[in-house]
């Protein structure tokens, strides 16, 4: 058990992105040849600003945006103060008679300025309100802080503006036509000239991603390992997920950049957190800090709650009046964005994926409309619409009807009621096909718990998916409740996990040359964090505690390799991509062999449907249809495995995507202005499709518009390729779980696993009952029906793929696993040296305990 309590380690060679011989290189540049961007000290902040300026469409747009944010804050505070102290509501509501003339009986029309109090009276009422004065003072201090930060950011972003214009040779007027891959390629290229980072001669795409996403990768990993207390069992609501922007802000404040955080700067973990000798003292210190931050949140709760209410009122009231059904729309929850995010995935890449999955996700959720609720909504809409129609008709006949008291209010409320009722009435042309819709969603979001597949029609699956894809009204309600709930989550839920958090940052932090301390999961190394059920069998040395859940390591590696084709992954990752490409080729040939058994006309139609449709949307549509088309031509008597056919169909789609994408890339290469420089640059041999040349990283075409169009086309093909790979990997994972798992059980990590369950008890229990590897840490629910499984697929991975062999295959039968703290599992009889590289033994008896077992 002691091998789980590992020391912080410097990155070994398999993680290193540096060319051979440059691991400890410090580049020296003559004083006279240094540029303005030589040896930038804080590259995290620099690359983040470069990325933000690109995403905000240039310096001018960013300046105006932040300026209006300052003005918006002043407007909210000033307008609220005016409504509280400077309006005579008795006159506004006609409760008090207004006398404009000497004739008391003469009727005068009340105007809006008549309800405003004189400036002297308004000023007096403000000065007499002590609570309002104190809130104005706090708001003024907060606005002054934002103003100083705004001025500082403008000065810093002006330097980034100069960097774009002078170093990258990209004018601000053309920045919107450049993709991030093009900007990133230029940054990598100018490293040779300007030596932005002096620790490496060459920067890689992964180096830049690490700098921008250092803290976000830690958050994604903690959500993946179910370390953060964001899932709760409530009496009436059952299993509930609660993660808001305020709670996430406090997590980041505690872990990363707040006073007394775990990091001493943006790129380095504090030295005491890299050693395990004083882990208990550090956990107690972190717990005290979480307690004080929770108390501070509790004291500031009234002010934060008032601001949340005011901001929500001013933001959503006009939208609710214009589109009353907008609150019935859905959005991806903050938890969903963390759960579905790949390691080392930028914000715009995640947003693009989730936006493509929005429509199928909405259609899927609309399939589960309650019939009883639909009947009630139809009748309520009929009654409200009838009354509304009469009032509108009377208004058209005589506009004086609007002068009647509460008529306008009634018309507005009836209109809102009709619109809300219509949102609960499903489309009459909607077809109930949950499994296909869920597969469409999977093609875009890339992650899905195992027990959802085959159970898409169940309300349990729908309720769990609603945690990722929630109502907009629920999102607003959670944000309003966040100031009240956040202090209690910090004090009573996060504080008991202090020791687990300390161990997590020590065990999963590595030092990368030229980058600093980063999350080891973000390296996407299948040897250290791969999962045997996701094509990493025999190639990973990770225990269950070290494995990423839901295949996140493998899928993140594929996504990054497809998004950045020039990136040269480590040896193990290259081998994994090579095996995957070979597997796709074999399954594609298997699909053609199955089609060869069809009659001539059916064979021709099936081949046309599987291979001729090379447009991205057509390929995905054919895959979503599944093996049904093949089964239709084959007939029921031909024994074809449904899941093998599904995987083969995806493989065929991937194969048919490769030639056209490679053709587009070759056409674009001839149009590139710097083609000679690109030919001299070594290209990786691990491309997922036919060509390894990526024209998305350089401007092409005779104009900016033509180059942008070409980049968009190739980005669409890359997105389609990743979607097909996600479907393919899930099909292979399904085959693996069906063939290798004898049995599964409910697995849920305790909120605070402080050695409450003895290792000996688990070991004794396993002697009589075989234990299965858990399906998912993020969705720990049971699946009832499972087939008998074998180890044939695992043995198949021992073969040679793409000229790469690995004799060191470790067989790990699921029947010999023992429970470890923090949801970890280990093989009985296995030593710590086979589970984690460079294990450093702890000193003293206290350090021989697991990461979060305290000595009593």
């Amino acid at each position: 058990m002691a091998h789980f309590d590992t020391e912080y380690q410097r990155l070994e060679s398999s993680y290193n992105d540096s060319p051979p011989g440059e691991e400890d290189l410090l580049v020296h540049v003559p004083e006279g040849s240094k540029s303005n961007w030589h040896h930038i000290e804080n590259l995290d902040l620099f690359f983040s600003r470069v990325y933000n300026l690109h995403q905000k469409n240039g310096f001018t747009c960013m300046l105006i945006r932040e300026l209006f944010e300052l003005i918006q804050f002043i407007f909210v505070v000033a307008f609220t103060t005016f409504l509280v102290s400077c309006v005579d509501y008795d006159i506004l509501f006609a409760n008090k008679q207004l006398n404009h003339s000497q004739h008391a009986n003469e009727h005068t029309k009340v105007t809006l300025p008549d309800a405003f109090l004189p400036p002297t009276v308004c000023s007096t009422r403000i000065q007499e309100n002590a609570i309002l004065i104190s809130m104005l003072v706090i708001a003024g201090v907060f606005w002054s802080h934002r103003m100083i930060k705004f001025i500082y950011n403008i000065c810093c972003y002006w330097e980034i503006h100069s960097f774009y214009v002078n170093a990258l040779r990209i004018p601000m007027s053309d920045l919107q036509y450049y993709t991030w891959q093009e900007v990133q390629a230029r940054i990598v290229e100018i490293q040779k000239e300007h030596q932005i980072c002096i620790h490496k001669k060459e920067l890689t795409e992964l180096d830049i991603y690490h700098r921008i996403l250092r803290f976000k990768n830690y958050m994604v990993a903690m959500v993946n390992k179910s370390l953060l207390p964001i899932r709760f069992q409530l009496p009436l609501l059952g299993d509930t997920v609660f993660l808001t922007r305020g709670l996430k802000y406090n997590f980041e404040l505690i872990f990363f950049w707040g006073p007394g955080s775990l990091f001493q700067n943006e790129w380095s973990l504090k030295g005491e957190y890299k050693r395990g000798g004083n882990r208990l003292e550090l956990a107690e210190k972190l717990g005290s800090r979480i307690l004080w931050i929770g108390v501070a949140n509790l004291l500031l709760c009234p002010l934060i709650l008032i601001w949340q209410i005011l901001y929500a009122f001013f933001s959503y009231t006009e939208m609710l009046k214009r589109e009353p059904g907008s609150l019935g729309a859905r959005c991806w929850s903050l938890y969903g964005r963390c759960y579905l995010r790949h390691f080392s995935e930028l914000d715009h890449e995640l947003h693009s994926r989730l936006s493509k999955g929005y429509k199928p996700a909405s259609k899927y959720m609309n399939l589960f409309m309650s019939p009883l609720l639909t009947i009630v909504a139809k009748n309520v809409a009929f009654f409200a619409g009838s009354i509304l129609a009469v009032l509108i008709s009377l208004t058209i006949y005589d506009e004086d009807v609007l002068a009647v008291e509460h008529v306008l209010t009634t018309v507005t409320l009836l209109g809102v009621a009709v619109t809300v009722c219509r949102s609960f009435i499903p489309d009459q042309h909607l077809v109930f096909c949950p499994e296909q819709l869920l597969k469409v969603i999977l093609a875009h979001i890339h992650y899905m718990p195992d027990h959802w597949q085959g159970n898409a029609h169940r309300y349990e699956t729908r309720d769990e998916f609603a945690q990722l894809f929630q109502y907009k009204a629920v999102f607003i309600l959670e944000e309003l409740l966040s100031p009240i709930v956040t202090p209690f989550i910090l004090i009573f839920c996060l504080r008991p996990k202090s020791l687990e958090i300390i161990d997590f940052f020590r065990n999963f932090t590595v030092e990368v040359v030229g980058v600093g301390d980063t999350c080891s999961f973000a390296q996407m190394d299948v040897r250290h964090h791969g999962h045997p059920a996701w094509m990493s069998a025999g190639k990973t040395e990770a225990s269950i505690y070290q494995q990423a859940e839901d295949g996140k390591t493998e899928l993140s590696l594929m996504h990054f390799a497809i998004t950045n084709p020039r990136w040269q992954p480590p040896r193990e990752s290259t081998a994994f991509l090579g095996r995957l490409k070979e597997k796709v080729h074999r399954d594609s040939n298997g699909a053609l062999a199955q089609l060869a058994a069809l009659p001539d006309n059916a064979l021709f139609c099936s081949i046309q449907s599987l291979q001729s449709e090379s447009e991205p949307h057509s390929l995905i549509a054919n895959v979503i249809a599944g093996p049904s088309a093949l089964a239709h031509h084959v007939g029921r008597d031909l024994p074809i495995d449904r899941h093998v056919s599904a995987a083969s169909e995806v493989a065929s789609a991937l194969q048919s995507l490769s030639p056209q994408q490679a053709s587009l890339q070759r056409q674009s290469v001839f149009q590139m202005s710097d083609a000679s420089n690109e030919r001299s640059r070594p290209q990786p041999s691990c491309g997922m499709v036919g060509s390894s040349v990526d024209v998305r990283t350089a401007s092409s075409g005779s104009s900016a518009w033509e180059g942008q169009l070409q980049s968009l086309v190739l980005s669409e093909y890359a997105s389609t390729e990743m979607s097909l790979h996600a479907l393919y990997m899930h099909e292979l994972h399904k085959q693996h779980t069906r063939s290798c798992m004898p049995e599964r059980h409910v697995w849920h990590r305790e909120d605070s696993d402080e050695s409450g369950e003895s290792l000996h008890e688990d070991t004794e229990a396993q002697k009589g009952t075989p234990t299965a590897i858990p399906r998912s840490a993020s969705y720990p629910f049971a699946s009832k029906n499972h087939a008998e499984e074998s180890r044939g697929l695992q043995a198949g991975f021992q073969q040679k793929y793409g000229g790469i062999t690995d004799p060191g295959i470790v067989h790990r039968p699921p029947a010999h696993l023992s429970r470890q703290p923090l949801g970890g599992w280990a093989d009985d009889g296995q030593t710590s040296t086979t589970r984690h590289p460079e294990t450093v033994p702890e000193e003293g008896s206290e350090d021989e305990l697991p990461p979060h077992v305290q000595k009593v």
Side-chain angles (χ1 to χ4, degrees):
M1 293 176 58
H3 66 273
F4 284 105
D5 191 12
T6 57
E7 291 281 354
Y8 167 90
Q9 57 176 315
R10 183 178 177 85
L11 199 63
E12 55 181 20
S13 58
S14 61
Y15 282 93
N16 200 356
D17 288 332
S18 301
E22 295 185 11
E23 290 80 3
D24 298 310
L25 179 65
L26 187 64
V27 180
H28 296 278
V29 180
E31 191 70 26
S33 60
K34 289 183 179 179
S35 65
N36 296 331
W37 299 281
H38 171 74
H39 185 199
I40 297 175
E41 182 178 359
N42 193 341
L43 279 175
D44 286 38
L45 196 57
F46 180 79
F47 285 145
S48 298
R49 287 170 177 166
V50 171
Y51 176 73
N52 291 335
L53 192 64
H54 174 267
Q55 294 300 305
K56 294 179 180 179
N57 300 313
F59 181 79
T60 304
C61 294
M62 189 212 65
L63 175 64
I64 295 176
R65 182 198 299 264
E66 294 196 3
L67 185 61
F68 271 110
E69 288 180 359
L70 290 173
I71 297 175
Q72 187 182 76
F73 182 85
I74 295 177
F75 172 79
V76 171
V77 174
F79 189 52
T80 304
T81 304
F82 175 79
L83 293 177
V84 170
S85 303
C86 300
V87 177
D88 192 342
Y89 290 97
D90 290 333
I91 295 178
L92 189 63
F93 297 146
N95 296 329
K96 183 170 65 176
Q97 200 63 258
L98 180 66
N99 188 8
H100 272 306
S101 63
Q102 299 177 354
H103 304 282
N105 295 328
E106 183 179 352
H107 177 73
T108 57
K109 186 176 182 179
V110 178
T111 61
L112 193 59
D114 294 333
F116 298 160
L117 295 176
T120 54
V121 179
C122 180
S123 177
T124 303
R125 294 182 64 176
I126 293 176
Q127 294 175 5
E128 293 175 353
N129 193 337
I131 298 178
L132 181 61
I133 290 294
S134 60
M135 294 179 63
L136 290 176
V137 170
I138 295 175
V141 172
F142 180 73
W143 186 86
S144 301
H145 172 264
R146 291 190 60 179
M147 185 64 184
I148 296 174
K149 186 177 179 180
F150 167 75
I151 297 174
Y152 173 75
N153 286 338
I154 292 303
C155 297
C156 294
Y157 276 103
W158 180 254
E159 181 183 357
I160 304 300
H161 170 271
S162 302
F163 176 76
Y164 268 100
V165 174
N166 299 323
L168 300 182
R169 308 296 181 186
I170 300 178
M172 286 292 104
S173 58
D174 295 339
L175 183 59
Q176 57 182 329
Y177 304 125
Y178 285 81
T179 64
W180 171 250
Q181 278 72 26
E182 294 173 342
V183 174
Q184 183 176 253
R186 297 200 177 195
I187 294 175
V188 172
E189 189 66 27
I190 67 170
Q191 162 68 11
K192 303 175 184 178
E193 176 185 355
H194 297 279
Q195 290 300 324
I196 300 175
C197 177
I198 64 172
H199 298 282
K200 303 179 70 174
K201 279 188 176 181
E202 295 183 0
L203 285 176
T204 66
E205 292 81 359
L206 189 59
D207 292 339
I208 299 176
Y209 273 69
H210 278 331
R211 295 283 190 175
I212 299 175
L213 301 170
R214 188 186 304 273
F215 297 151
K216 291 183 179 179
N217 281 326
Y218 276 107
M219 291 294 295
V220 173
M222 285 190 284
V223 170
N224 181 258
K225 300 299 291 183
S226 298
L227 183 60
L228 297 179
I230 55 179
R231 187 179 290 274
F232 308 95
Q233 288 289 338
L234 301 181
L236 298 179
L237 301 179
D239 185 72
T240 306
V241 172
F242 186 86
L243 180 62
T244 62
R245 289 178 293 188
L247 183 59
K248 183 172 178 288
Y249 177 86
N250 279 274
F251 286 156
E252 295 174 351
L253 177 70
I254 293 170
F255 299 146
F256 305 125
W257 52 268
S261 64
L262 279 64
F263 282 76
Q264 61 185 3
N265 48 46
E266 284 83 355
W267 62 89
S268 179
L269 189 70
K270 289 182 178 178
E272 57 265 26
Y273 294 100
K274 300 177 182 180
R275 298 180 296 271
N278 55 346
R279 45 194 291 272
L280 298 180
E281 298 176 3
L282 294 175
E284 184 179 356
K285 179 180 176 182
L286 178 61
S288 300
R289 184 166 172 270
I290 294 174
L291 175 63
W292 285 111
I293 292 180
V295 171
N297 275 270
L298 195 61
L299 295 177
L300 295 176
C301 174
L303 296 177
I304 301 175
L305 181 61
I306 292 174
W307 169 255
Q308 292 277 58
I309 295 174
L310 291 176
Y311 187 81
F313 176 79
F314 291 132
S315 299
Y316 299 110
T317 302
E318 188 275 335
M319 180 188 69
L320 183 61
K321 178 182 178 300
R322 176 169 39 89
E323 300 176 4
S326 58
L327 293 181
R330 291 183 176 269
C331 62
W332 295 103
S333 66
L334 191 58
Y335 167 74
R337 291 179 177 274
C338 291
Y339 172 77
L340 299 174
R341 187 168 196 157
H342 292 297
F343 292 125
S344 297
E345 182 179 22
L346 293 172
D347 292 342
H348 75 280
E349 297 168 353
L350 174 66
H351 179 74
S352 176
R353 284 198 300 117
L354 298 185
S355 297
K356 293 176 181 178
Y358 181 86
K359 286 186 178 180
S362 299
K363 291 181 180 179
Y364 174 76
M365 298 301 292
N366 291 336
L367 292 177
F368 295 88
M369 290 292 182
S370 172
L372 179 61
L373 184 60
T374 300
I375 295 174
V376 173
K378 285 182 178 180
N379 287 273
V380 172
F382 173 78
F383 297 138
S386 302
I387 301 173
L388 180 62
V390 172
L391 292 178
I392 292 177
S393 301
L394 293 175
T395 303
I396 295 176
Y397 178 76
D398 189 353
E399 63 180 7
D400 292 336
V401 176
L402 294 175
V404 179
E405 188 176 12
H406 300 313
V407 168
L408 187 60
T409 304
T410 303
V411 170
T412 303
L413 292 179
L414 289 174
V416 171
V418 171
T419 306
V420 171
C421 289
R422 286 178 179 175
S423 65
F424 292 101
I425 301 176
D427 185 5
Q428 60 180 347
H429 303 292
L430 191 63
V431 180
F432 188 79
C433 51
E435 290 294 342
Q436 289 188 353
L437 281 175
L438 206 59
K439 185 174 279 191
V440 175
I441 297 170
L442 176 61
H444 296 298
I445 66 176
H446 302 169
Y447 293 100
M448 185 176 295
D450 295 344
H451 59 280
W452 284 9
Q453 300 185 20
N455 296 312
H457 60 284
R458 300 178 63 88
Y459 272 88
E460 292 83 356
T461 303
R462 184 257 185 198
D463 294 339
E464 293 173 18
F465 185 70
Q467 296 175 353
L468 308 178
F469 195 61
Q470 61 183 178
Y471 281 114
K472 190 67 175 289
V474 175
F475 170 79
I476 297 173
L477 180 62
E478 288 182 352
E479 291 295 331
L480 293 178
L481 294 177
S482 179
I484 302 175
V485 179
T486 295
F488 298 99
I489 293 179
L490 296 179
I491 296 175
F492 298 106
C493 299
L494 182 64
R495 193 162 61 95
K497 289 180 171 287
S498 299
L499 188 58
E500 298 178 20
I501 294 171
I502 294 297
D503 291 328
F504 177 87
F505 277 92
R506 185 184 70 256
N507 294 333
F508 299 117
T509 297
V510 291
E511 181 184 358
V512 183
V513 175
V515 176
D517 295 335
T518 186
C519 182
S520 59
F521 286 102
Q523 293 295 127
M524 301 169 291
D525 194 315
V526 295
R527 183 163 68 94
H528 294 90
H529 297 297
H531 199 291
W534 292 86
M535 283 196 67
S536 296
K539 303 298 180 181
T540 179
E541 301 175 359
S543 63
I544 300 299
Y545 172 65
Q546 297 166 323
Q547 292 170 3
E549 303 293 337
D550 303 315
K552 189 171 284 288
T553 299
E554 292 78 7
L555 288 170
S556 298
L557 175 61
M558 283 194 302
H559 178 267
F560 193 86
I562 292 173
T563 308
N564 303 274
R566 294 185 177 184
W567 175 61
Q568 296 181 347
R571 179 176 58 85
E572 291 80 8
S573 301
T574 304
F576 172 81
L577 297 176
R579 293 197 309 273
L580 179 61
K581 188 175 181 179
E582 180 67 22
K583 178 70 174 173
V584 169
H585 181 70
R586 292 202 312 270
D587 286 350
S588 177
N589 293 337
L592 294 178
Q594 289 181 350
L595 291 175
L598 302 178
D600 293 340
N601 56 345
L603 175 63
F604 176 77
C605 296
S606 299
I607 292 178
Q608 289 295 322
S609 64
L610 290 178
Q611 290 190 332
S612 296
E613 294 288 347
S614 55
E615 291 296 327
H617 297 293
S618 301
L619 288 171
I620 294 181
N622 286 334
V623 170
I624 296 307
S628 57
L630 181 63
H632 173 75
H633 292 299
V634 172
R636 298 181 179 178
D637 297 334
L638 190 60
I640 294 181
D641 192 322
R642 177 179 182 87
H643 300 287
V644 173
S645 299
S648 301
E649 209 162 335
V650 181
S652 299
L654 282 168
Q655 286 292 97
S656 62
L657 180 69
S658 301
Q660 182 161 344
Q661 185 174 6
S663 176
L664 283 174
Q665 290 176 342
R666 285 193 296 269
Q667 293 174 9
S668 301
V669 167
F670 290 115
Q671 300 173 1
M672 292 164 57
S673 59
D674 54 346
S676 59
N677 295 333
E678 294 299 325
R679 290 192 206 100
S680 62
R681 183 179 179 84
Q683 298 293 336
S685 57
C686 59
M688 301 303 296
V689 291
S691 175
S692 62
V693 180
D694 181 30
V695 297
R696 288 171 289 160
T697 59
S699 300
S700 60
S702 57
S703 64
W705 283 103
E706 188 175 349
Q708 185 189 30
L709 179 61
Q710 189 70 280
S711 298
L712 290 176
V713 171
L714 289 171
S715 297
E716 183 66 22
Y717 271 88
S719 175
T720 303
E721 183 185 1
M722 183 58 212
S723 297
L724 294 174
H725 273 99
L727 293 173
Y728 183 70
M729 286 293 295
H730 277 271
E731 289 296 336
L732 294 181
H733 174 66
K734 187 189 302 183
Q735 295 178 24
H736 183 274
T737 54
R738 285 177 176 269
S739 62
C740 297
M741 292 281 184
E743 177 183 357
R744 282 185 180 178
H745 63 93
V746 178
W747 177 74
H748 184 73
R749 178 158 53 243
E750 299 295 334
D751 292 337
S752 180
D753 192 4
E754 298 183 357
S755 68
E757 297 179 1
S758 174
L759 177 64
H760 300 286
E761 294 177 1
D762 288 342
T763 306
E764 293 296 331
Q766 288 168 3
K767 292 180 180 178
T769 304
T771 305
I773 297 177
R775 185 173 57 260
S776 171
S778 303
Y779 281 92
F781 299 102
S783 179
K784 297 181 180 179
N785 298 326
H786 303 284
E788 290 294 323
E789 303 167 339
S790 64
R791 302 183 184 89
L793 185 60
Q794 184 176 6
F797 283 133
Q798 302 176 18
Q799 300 177 1
K800 180 177 179 181
Y801 295 109
I804 299 174
T805 58
D806 190 351
I809 298 176
V810 180
H811 296 282
R812 306 190 310 163
H816 301 284
L817 297 176
S818 57
R819 180 71 182 270
Q820 293 293 338
L822 191 56
W825 301 70
D827 299 346
D828 293 344
Q830 294 290 338
T831 60
S832 62
T833 57
T834 62
R835 286 287 165 237
H836 200 285
E838 297 188 8
T839 303
V840 180
E842 305 286 348
E843 296 182 0
S845 59
E846 178 182 87
D847 297 325
E848 296 176 0
L849 297 174
H852 65 292
V853 178
Q854 298 187 17
K855 179 181 178 181
V856 181

